[in-house]
Amino acid sequence: MASSELELVRELIELNWHTRNGDVEPRRIAYDRAQEAFGNLGLPPGETVGVGACTAEWVRPAREDGRTLLYLHGGSYALGSPQSHRHLSSALGAVAGAAVLALHYRRPPESPFPAAVEDAVAAYRMLLERGCPPGRVTFAGDSAGAGLAVAALQVLRDAGDPLPAAAVCISPWADLTCEGASHTTRKEREILLDTEDLLRMAGRYLAGTDPRNPLASPAHGDLTGLPPLLIHVGSEEVLYDDARALEQAAVKAGVDVTFDEWPEMFHVWHWYHPVLPEGRAAVEAAGAFLRRATEEGEK
């Protein structure tokens, strides 16, 4: 049974309806401010650094134990930033015992595919150049950021780069065709996403690229050789079948993958962890997975 706080979260989502409607720029501003509904979380901006053609923000927990987490935010590729996800990336880093590099990758319509993939790859390579051992680095991303994480891993594998220890995929948007049955079967149960809006966002990002391109839709990719993956998905999500398709692609490729379905949960419920017990539990589970992966990488 879901917590009593779930109804409060539903009300917050209704209050933030403007993050899901209208033009891109107003939605970006609204999304960056949405976490203010949780009150003062005491999370000042971290150190901004240049990463190739974009920037990133270092978010450092009190104890980081020599680990590094590359965090890729969600927002249908066009929205979101380190600011909008600072409370989530920092919480995940704290559990994982990792300093977080939260990437502000280039976004459409100004910079369509494959700009975000290039930026994610560049960020990881920058970490290696700075001396971060690959076995002490992990990836995490939510929604579009989760798909971006798996896309970047494919590029790095194909280029022969040493790969990170693991990746967490939270509510992955892994198939930009939006043809999964859950877009229909869970339409009335989803409280955050709208398939028509996702298709508009996909069009902005793809800018004519085939939506089945594996670097845009990693559920259509060959994931052979990728590091262990943890996939979190809520039972109520229209992207439920994206998560399943990504899992199936991983299984087919022989990747160590853990699929974790959370009953009664919605898209990226982790983002609401300041007020939602299930969000806190999911952050704890994801962070523990990342910590274990880096401990394995030390052996």
Side-chain angles (χ1 to χ4, degrees):
M1 179 180 294
S3 67
S4 59
E5 289 85 350
L6 182 58
E7 189 56 38
L8 170 62
V9 168
R10 290 178 181 273
E11 293 175 6
L12 285 174
I13 289 171
E14 286 301 315
L15 287 172
N16 287 323
W17 65 270
H18 47 282
T19 65
R20 307 188 302 282
N21 294 273
D23 295 333
V24 168
E25 192 57 37
R27 290 175 69 177
R28 287 175 175 171
I29 295 170
Y31 199 178
D32 280 354
R33 298 191 59 183
Q35 80 281 357
E36 293 175 6
F38 302 137
N40 182 11
L41 298 175
L43 297 171
E47 175 195 359
T48 299
V49 294
V51 180
C54 67
T55 62
E57 175 183 289
W58 279 110
V59 181
R60 300 184 184 274
R63 294 183 60 186
E64 53 191 72
D65 299 334
R67 299 175 173 88
T68 306
L69 169 62
L70 177 59
Y71 195 85
L72 304 170
H73 66 80
S76 306
Y77 286 105
L79 313 175
S81 70
Q83 178 180 339
S84 65
H85 285 67
R86 190 176 295 133
H87 66 294
L88 175 53
S89 63
S90 61
L92 191 57
V95 179
V100 180
L101 184 67
L103 186 65
H104 199 357
Y105 54 83
R106 289 171 292 167
R107 302 171 298 180
E110 300 91 340
S111 300
F113 176 86
V117 181
E118 294 169 349
D119 293 343
V121 169
Y124 178 67
R125 288 175 173 164
M126 184 192 78
L127 292 176
L128 298 188
E129 290 168 1
R130 291 191 173 198
C132 296
R136 302 280 283 176
V137 178
T138 53
F139 285 10
D142 66 280
S143 194
L148 179 56
V150 182
L153 288 172
Q154 292 176 82
V155 173
L156 292 163
R157 174 205 59 196
D158 292 347
D161 292 71
L163 297 181
V168 166
C169 299
I170 299 171
S171 300
W173 191 20
D175 183 0
L176 271 59
T177 69
C178 296
E179 292 176 349
S182 56
H183 281 280
T184 300
T185 60
R186 287 170 166 79
K187 180 178 180 179
E188 301 304 320
R189 295 156 58 180
E190 171 70 68
I191 61 176
L192 264 174
L193 299 184
D194 174 77
T195 299
E196 291 185 3
D197 184 58
L198 285 173
L199 286 169
R200 286 192 294 270
M201 290 296 203
R204 291 187 177 103
Y205 179 59
L206 293 167
T209 298
D210 184 348
R212 291 176 174 78
N213 185 309
L215 299 186
S217 297
H220 294 280
D222 176 4
L223 307 188
T224 301
L226 266 55
L229 303 177
L230 171 63
I231 300 172
H232 274 186
V233 67
S235 63
E236 311 305 288
E237 299 197 48
V238 293
L239 294 185
Y240 182 88
D241 282 357
D242 282 56
R244 276 295 185 196
L246 186 63
E247 178 208 19
Q248 291 165 6
V251 169
K252 180 180 178 181
V255 173
D256 180 1
V257 58
T258 301
F259 184 91
D260 198 356
E261 176 183 344
W262 289 65
E264 300 185 59
M265 288 299 104
F266 54 95
H267 188 62
V268 194
W269 67 101
H270 311 57
W271 195 90
Y272 294 84
H273 73 86
V275 295
L276 185 67
E278 291 90 345
R280 293 191 289 275
V283 169
E284 288 283 340
F289 171 84
L290 295 173
R291 178 181 283 274
R292 288 194 301 270
T294 53
E295 289 171 350
E296 288 295 322
E298 295 171 359
K299 296 178 180 178

